[in-house]
Amino acid sequence: MGIAMPLAGAAPAQAAPPTTACNTMYSAQITFWAMTCSRPGQPVIGGFATWRNVPITYDQVSTDATVQTANYLRVTPNTDGDEFGRNIEIGLYAEKTGKTTMKYGPRWTELGKDGGRTKAITAGVNPSKPDKRNHTYMLVRQDTGNQWDVLYDFNTVGSTTDQLKVIGGATNRVDVGLEVTGPQHTNVPDIANRMQFMDGNQS
């Protein structure tokens, strides 16, 4: 038998619903793209997503170009100057070149004013194996300054260096989605994305 005890102190802060949201799907011979986005209308200081590391597989057809799959969480701290400006992305990536050369695993990317940088993630349990287990992907703004920490399975795996200040109003954006280059060569099973964001009140 359990007993529920009330928490002492002030009531928790309430987060307002997003001011803008979108669902987009695009399919062509070269690229398949499906995403949801949220423009919360208040400062966002964290993004959190979970999904299963599923076995993304490819056919054995020889391809000249790299065939890629990305399932990602992306936070754009300030879209005031550009809707797709500086941002941080973390996710699960798979690719193949030629007939059988394949790579699989989590990574994160920072897009800054002078381009992007991408880092493979080696922390956690079996990050480069499709173990069909849920894994966590987090982006959390640091307590001071404008930069963000990147976490995979609650392990800090890096920090940004070139992100803009988070300000009020509808000037930040959180996306979660799937992007496949070469869908005719690719099989992606159900992944079951779940995403949340945290506002400035830590709600």
Side-chain angles (χ1 to χ4, degrees), residues 113-134:
K113 65 178 179 179
D114 296 321
R117 63 184 178 109
T118 298
K119 302 270 188 181
I121 295 173
T122 58
V125 178
N126 295 328
S128 61
K129 295 186 183 297
D131 58 10
K132 300 182 182 178
R133 293 174 49 190
N134 271 340

Side-chain angles (χ1 to χ4, degrees), residues 118-183:
T118 298
K119 302 270 188 181
I121 295 173
T122 58
V125 178
N126 295 328
S128 61
K129 295 186 183 297
D131 58 10
K132 300 182 182 178
R133 293 174 49 190
N134 271 340
H135 292 266
T136 62
Y137 303 80
M138 297 174 66
L139 302 170
V140 182
R141 196 185 71 177
Q142 296 173 358
D143 289 337
T144 59
N146 303 324
Q147 302 314 309
W148 294 64
D149 290 326
V150 182
L151 297 93
Y152 174 75
D153 283 348
F154 304 100
N155 298 290
T156 300
V157 296
S159 299
T160 66
T161 59
D162 194 22
Q163 295 303 300
L164 296 174
K165 180 179 181 180
V166 174
I167 59 176
T171 58
N172 43 66
R173 175 175 169 142
V174 184
D175 300 337
V176 64
L178 173 69
E179 186 174 300
V180 180
T181 303

Side-chain angles (χ1 to χ4, degrees), residues 99-112:
K99 271 190 175 182
T100 58
T101 303
M102 293 180 57
K103 295 179 182 177
Y104 180 98
R107 72 184 190 202
W108 70 278
T109 299
E110 176 181 18
L111 180 63

Side-chain angles (χ1 to χ4, degrees), residues 59-67 96-99 184-185:
D59 62 23
Q60 301 296 303
V61 174
S62 184
T63 55
D64 293 331
T66 298
V67 177
K96 83 150 187 167
T97 55
K99 271 190 175 182
Q184 71 273 29
H185 302 290

Side-chain angles (χ1 to χ4, degrees), residues 42-123:
Q42 55 191 312
V44 166
I45 61 170
F48 177 86
T50 64
W51 55 76
R52 293 189 303 276
N53 282 13
V54 297
I56 297 167
T57 57
Y58 298 100
D59 62 23
Q60 301 296 303
V61 174
S62 184
T63 55
D64 293 331
T66 298
V67 177
Q68 297 179 319
T69 306
N71 195 69
Y72 62 86
L73 165 71
R74 181 188 301 129
V75 172
T76 307
N78 187 331
T79 63
D80 206 20
D82 184 353
E83 182 73 14
F84 298 99
R86 302 184 206 187
N87 61 60
I88 318 107
E89 183 176 295
I90 183 172
L92 176 65
Y93 296 84
E95 67 177 46
K96 83 150 187 167
T97 55
K99 271 190 175 182
T100 58
T101 303
M102 293 180 57
K103 295 179 182 177
Y104 180 98
R107 72 184 190 202
W108 70 278
T109 299
E110 176 181 18
L111 180 63
K113 65 178 179 179
D114 296 321
R117 63 184 178 109
T118 298
K119 302 270 188 181
I121 295 173
T122 58

